Amino acid sequence: MRQKQRAQTIIALLEEEYPTFETALEWKEPWQLLVAVMLSAQTTDENVNRVTKKLFKKYPSIKSIAQAPITEVEQAVYSTGYYKAKARNLKALCTALIDQHQEKIPDTLATLTTLPGVGRKTANVVLHVLHDKREGIVMDTHIARLTHRLGFTKEKSPTKGEQVMMRVLPESQWKEWGDLLIQHGRKVCHARKPQCEDCVLSTLCPTGTTILKKRAKTTRRPES
Ligand code: SF4
């Protein structure tokens, strides 16, 4: 089956499994989404929500974060990991939003990625969710892992995964690919032990086919 056709079949199957999607991150103001996505690197959305609940209460504006002592911001984001770099980026990001963008969140990938601590993944989430714009595909660890396991890329790199899927899918499905794969990655296609036996994609997935063959061999009883 050709890649484009396979991708469409995968989307149709996953749409049945996951008919709705809402980002797990909690935010009210646009800048809070940007901050939450930035903090979500290398940690879970649940952990980010725990941290941002207190963070946004203590610092209710972009200005209050920009002016906060760095040690306080470090303490506030400590449990998200890489807290020194994240605190430094967070303050620099808020300063840049004030100095260069009148506290508005930019609406292009090129401008967003000039902000401290904002990479392509964060920028794509912000464009999709805040501005309803598509310049790329969100490739977090789940989405990149599944794109690779499903055989669309030989490499595991998120950059390669994004490039390939932008060719395979029409722009109108770029957000959908991320939304569906992230849910499937969380619920079924886990990093360490994918549940291929229960996966609706098992007949379309080269990795799943190999895993299931191996598991069948190890569980087969020796003949008497
Ligand atoms: S078959 Fe296995 S490896 Fe492939 S997507 Fe499903 S759970 Fe992941």
Side-chain angles (χ1 to χ4, degrees):
M1 202 187 290
R2 288 178 58 226
Q3 295 284 61
K4 288 187 180 180
Q5 203 185 331
R6 241 164 44 78
Q8 292 306 319
T9 312
I10 288 168
I11 286 177
L13 287 166
L14 292 181
E15 271 175 345
E16 281 185 31
E17 294 290 296
Y18 313 108
T20 57
F21 177 74
E22 273 181 38
T23 174
L25 292 172
E26 290 164 6
W27 56 280
K28 287 189 183 124
E29 307 280 334
W31 67 270
Q32 293 178 340
L33 174 71
L34 177 56
V35 168
V37 181
M38 204 196 91
L39 290 177
S40 72
Q42 310 293 330
T43 189
T44 62
D45 289 348
E46 293 73 28
N47 192 31
V48 172
N49 287 339
R50 270 193 295 275
V51 167
T52 53
K53 195 172 177 186
K54 290 183 194 157
L55 182 79
F56 297 151
K57 197 169 176 194
K58 188 166 182 188
Y59 306 106
S61 64
I62 297 174
K63 203 171 172 184
S64 57
I65 295 184
Q67 291 176 342
I70 185 76
T71 48
E72 277 187 22
V73 182
E74 283 176 359
Q75 244 176 11
V77 302
Y78 179 79
S79 67
T80 66
Y82 302 95
Y83 70 99
K84 279 192 181 283
K86 284 183 181 176
R88 197 171 52 242
N89 282 333
L90 191 48
K91 274 180 62 70
L93 166 69
C94 290
T95 305
L97 287 175
I98 295 166
D99 293 348
Q100 295 155 31
H101 303 284
Q102 297 80 47
E103 302 197 19
K104 298 267 184 307
I105 309 303
D107 65 355
T108 65
L109 193 76
T111 313
L112 278 163
T113 50
T114 62
L115 294 169
V118 178
R120 274 191 77 93
K121 188 203 87 174
T122 300
N124 275 320
V125 174
V126 167
L127 286 179
H128 291 184
V129 178
L130 287 185
H131 300 300
D132 198 19
K133 276 181 75 177
R134 315 283 179 262
E135 288 195 47
I137 298 178
V138 175
M139 277 283 153
D140 80 341
T141 51
H142 295 293
I143 305 163
R145 181 175 73 249
L146 265 80
T147 301
H148 166 67
R149 281 181 176 170
L150 287 164
F152 289 97
T153 55
K154 287 204 170 72
E155 299 161 38
K156 292 182 183 171
S157 111
T159 314
K160 188 74 188 163
E162 186 183 1
Q163 282 168 359
V164 170
M165 293 319 294
M166 283 169 74
R167 286 197 297 271
V168 169
L169 294 170
E171 193 183 304
S172 58
Q173 288 179 318
W174 289 0
K175 179 174 186 293
E176 202 177 4
W177 184 254
D179 292 351
L180 292 169
L181 260 60
I182 201 168
Q183 294 183 88
H184 200 58
R186 281 181 183 148
K187 292 188 178 145
V188 178
C189 190
H190 306 296
R192 293 226 174 109
K193 202 166 186 273
Q195 295 167 225
C196 305
E197 291 82 356
D198 306 318
C199 178
V200 288
L201 307 179
S202 60
T203 55
L204 294 159
C205 176
T207 311
T209 308
T210 310
I211 290 174
L212 287 171
K213 269 187 199 158
K214 265 192 204 159
R215 287 181 187 165
K217 262 190 201 166
T218 53
T219 53
R220 204 175 291 150
R221 286 189 177 170
E223 285 174 30
S224 52

